[in-house]
Amino acid sequence: MTFPRFEREADKLVKIAWSKKDRAEYEHKAPRWVIDVLVDAIRARKGEGAKFEAPDIFPLKDPQTGREIPSYQSYLALAWLRHEGVVVKYGRDGYSLKPTAATKEHLAELWEALPFRG
């Protein structure tokens, strides 16, 4: 089985990965809206196509409450966007948001294409 795998459960993004330490699968979950908050933060702080590092963008804030979003949820959203080719990783030199890849329509299509588990 290949890891990581991404699925959706209701309105949550689920990452299934393999723990070398525990020699077992584990899961992380994040609400769907964290993806939008991440994309908006990248656009606002760096712009599309510009290189950034995670500390340039994180911590993310919940737009409703102003509370900090847990870092594992932010990194989960970033991992999914990388997996889908919306964000490009440049080794140790950071990431960039691929120009025009993160439209609301494209993100919705990618979301709908995720395997769903009830």
Side-chain angles (χ1 to χ4, degrees), residues 17-38:
W18 183 259
S19 168
K20 290 179 185 173
K21 179 183 167 203
D22 296 333
R23 299 171 60 133
E25 284 185 13
Y26 69 91
E27 293 184 359
H28 282 160
K29 296 180 182 180
R32 164 66 178 88
W33 57 263
V34 172
I35 297 162
D36 295 326
V37 171
L38 174 58

Side-chain angles (χ1 to χ4, degrees), residues 6 10 37 71 75 97-98:
F6 295 92
V37 171
S71 63
Y75 278 100
L97 182 62
K98 201 184 279 185

Side-chain angles (χ1 to χ4, degrees), residues 26-75:
Y26 69 91
E27 293 184 359
H28 282 160
K29 296 180 182 180
R32 164 66 178 88
W33 57 263
V34 172
I35 297 162
D36 295 326
V37 171
L38 174 58
V39 169
D40 291 346
I42 295 168
R43 280 194 181 115
R45 296 179 191 161
K46 290 295 177 175
E48 291 188 1
K51 283 188 183 176
F52 67 90
E53 294 182 17
D56 297 335
I57 308 300
F58 300 156
L60 297 176
K61 302 276 187 191
D62 180 332
Q64 300 294 318
T65 66
R67 288 194 201 133
E68 195 171 297
I69 295 170
S71 63
Y72 77 90
Q73 291 182 0
S74 301
Y75 278 100

